[in-house]
Amino acid sequence: MPPGEAHAGGGDAVEDVLQLLRTGGSRITTSRRLLVRTLVERGEHATAEELASQVQSEAPDIHLSTIYRNLEELERRGVVSHAHLGHGPATYHLSATAHGHLVCEGCGAMHEAPDELFEDFAALVAGRYGFVVDSHHFAVIGRCARCTAAERGAPEVG
Amino acid sequence: MPPGEAHAGGGDAVEDVLQLLRTGGSRITTSRRLLVRTLVERGEHATAEELASQVQSEAPDIHLSTIYRNLEELERRGVVSHAHLGHGPATYHLSATAHGHLVCEGCGAMHEAPDELFEDFAALVAGRYGFVVDSHHFAVIGRCARCTAAERGAPEVG
DNA sequence: TTTCCTGCAAATAATTTGCAGAACT
DNA sequence: AGTTCTGCAAATTATTTGCAGGAAA
């Protein structure tokens, strides 16, 4: 595969999603094609606004509200998920590339967490409450190693 | 202790917090007194607006922005924490009564989770990434037992 | 009396919605 | 042609901020 189109599958992934939309009775529009392509290229958490920016770099007229509507549609089809990572806006990504997140409340750094990290916890919660954890849908908040270390030296309030 | 003032400590807890503010150089105002009292009485997650409503039932002039500012202040002192439970507004509670949450993405039901539930998970994350999990600060999203069961019978999309 | 706090109004930020026209099938 | 999508503007929701007056220490 040529460099620059790294992400497994490349354009095929885009076509797969578009086909899914088509099959479901949705229409394939420029905004949807570009949005799906953007999502595949990023493969990573991005806010609606970031996605819009990138889409708009190719088609400036596509409105942010259209991005929101399309994301909603894609989410309804199960192609996309969104997560609320602490404060700021929600982030979106393809369900296929979904994973958990560790977000540092000190510096805001975000770390990706493999599903496997949540396995035991999910099993525990399921066993005890019958609650099925969706580890992709929320961020685990806490303090990263660096911030934890930094705090040992300097106290917080002045 | 008289019934109706259940929550461990009762009015003392309010005074403790106020004393902490005083000591820190903050002033004790009506809005702060009422807010702290409300937080102690609820002991549970409440949105800024819910807190404002209850405070306003005793002092109608207290503005929502004052509630926000006071919550911010209390949070700075470590008395209060807030968490982002999925969509909607943030919820606030005394740090002392803090605990984790399981929020069902199907029906929105919220279940409180004891700290102990997160112990192993936190240890795993700490060991592997040096990341210190703050289990009170985020909601574990997933599907409650009821919604999971309901879905086995009825498929999602129409 | 000095500084902090508050009410109010207005600004922001994130997202949603109504509507008439444009685009897909 | 018929329905679904889209752009735009405006409404919503959650929260923050500037300012001038009011209150705590």
Side-chain angles (χ1 to χ4, degrees):
Chain A
M1 66 180 90
E5 305 212 341
H7 298 287
D12 286 349
V14 175
E15 283 313 314
D16 286 352
V17 172
L18 294 180
Q19 186 53 46
L20 192 109
L21 289 181
R22 228 182 308 257
T23 305
S26 296
R27 291 176 181 177
I28 307 306
T29 64
T30 304
S31 70
R32 287 179 179 180
R33 193 186 307 275
L34 287 175
L35 175 58
V36 172
R37 185 185 303 169
T38 300
L39 284 163
V40 170
E41 278 172 9
R42 296 222 169 199
E44 224 349 86
H45 38 73
T47 66
E49 200 147 304
E50 287 165 349
L51 292 167
S53 281
Q54 186 161 340
V55 164
Q56 285 161 359
S57 72
E58 295 194 58
D61 284 347
I62 292 171
H63 201 274
L64 180 56
S65 66
T66 297
I67 298 292
Y68 274 110
R69 281 191 274 226
N70 285 345
L71 285 170
E72 198 183 344
E73 167 81 15
L74 289 168
E75 206 157 0
R76 210 178 301 130
R77 306 267 177 216
V79 178
V80 157
S81 313
H82 79 273
H84 295 273
L85 272 37
H87 294 220
T91 64
Y92 298 78
H93 46 70
L94 293 176
S95 304
T97 44
H99 47 247
H101 297 93
L102 308 181
V103 176
C104 177
E105 59 195 350
C107 63
M110 180 183 316
H111 192 83
E112 293 172 25
D115 287 358
E116 162 263 320
L117 190 73
F118 294 89
E119 273 172 19
D120 291 347
F121 175 69
L124 175 63
V125 176
R128 210 184 290 184
Y129 303 104
F131 187 96
V132 181
V133 172
D134 176 1
S135 65
H136 301 156
H137 217 109
F138 61 92
V140 173
I141 312 287
R143 299 237 149 209
C144 69
R146 185 200 302 250
C147 286
T148 302
E151 259 154 51
R152 277 203 214 94
E156 64 265 41
V157 195
Chain B
M1 66 181 91
E5 304 210 346
H7 298 286
D12 285 349
V14 175
E15 282 313 313
D16 287 351
V17 172
L18 294 180
Q19 187 51 47
L20 193 109
L21 288 182
R22 224 181 310 257
T23 305
S26 296
R27 292 174 181 177
I28 307 307
T29 63
T30 305
S31 71
R32 288 180 179 179
R33 196 186 303 277
L34 287 174
L35 176 57
V36 172
R37 185 186 300 169
T38 301
L39 283 163
V40 170
E41 279 173 7
R42 295 220 168 199
E44 226 347 88
H45 39 73
T47 66
E49 199 148 306
E50 287 165 350
L51 292 167
S53 282
Q54 187 162 340
V55 165
Q56 285 162 358
S57 73
E58 295 193 57
D61 283 348
I62 291 169
H63 201 274
L64 179 56
S65 66
T66 297
I67 298 293
Y68 274 110
R69 281 192 273 225
N70 285 345
L71 285 170
E72 199 183 344
E73 166 81 14
L74 289 168
E75 205 155 1
R76 212 177 299 129
R77 306 265 178 217
V79 177
V80 157
S81 313
H82 80 273
H84 295 274
L85 272 40
H87 294 220
T91 65
Y92 299 78
H93 46 69
L94 293 176
S95 304
T97 44
H99 48 247
H101 297 93
L102 307 180
V103 176
C104 177
E105 60 196 350
C107 63
M110 179 182 317
H111 192 82
E112 293 172 26
D115 287 356
E116 162 262 321
L117 190 73
F118 294 89
E119 273 171 20
D120 290 346
F121 175 68
L124 175 63
V125 176
R128 209 184 290 185
Y129 303 104
F131 187 96
V132 181
V133 172
D134 175 2
S135 65
H136 302 156
H137 218 112
F138 61 92
V140 174
I141 312 286
R143 299 240 149 208
C144 69
R146 186 201 301 251
C147 285
T148 303
E151 259 155 49
R152 278 206 213 89
E156 63 267 40
V157 196

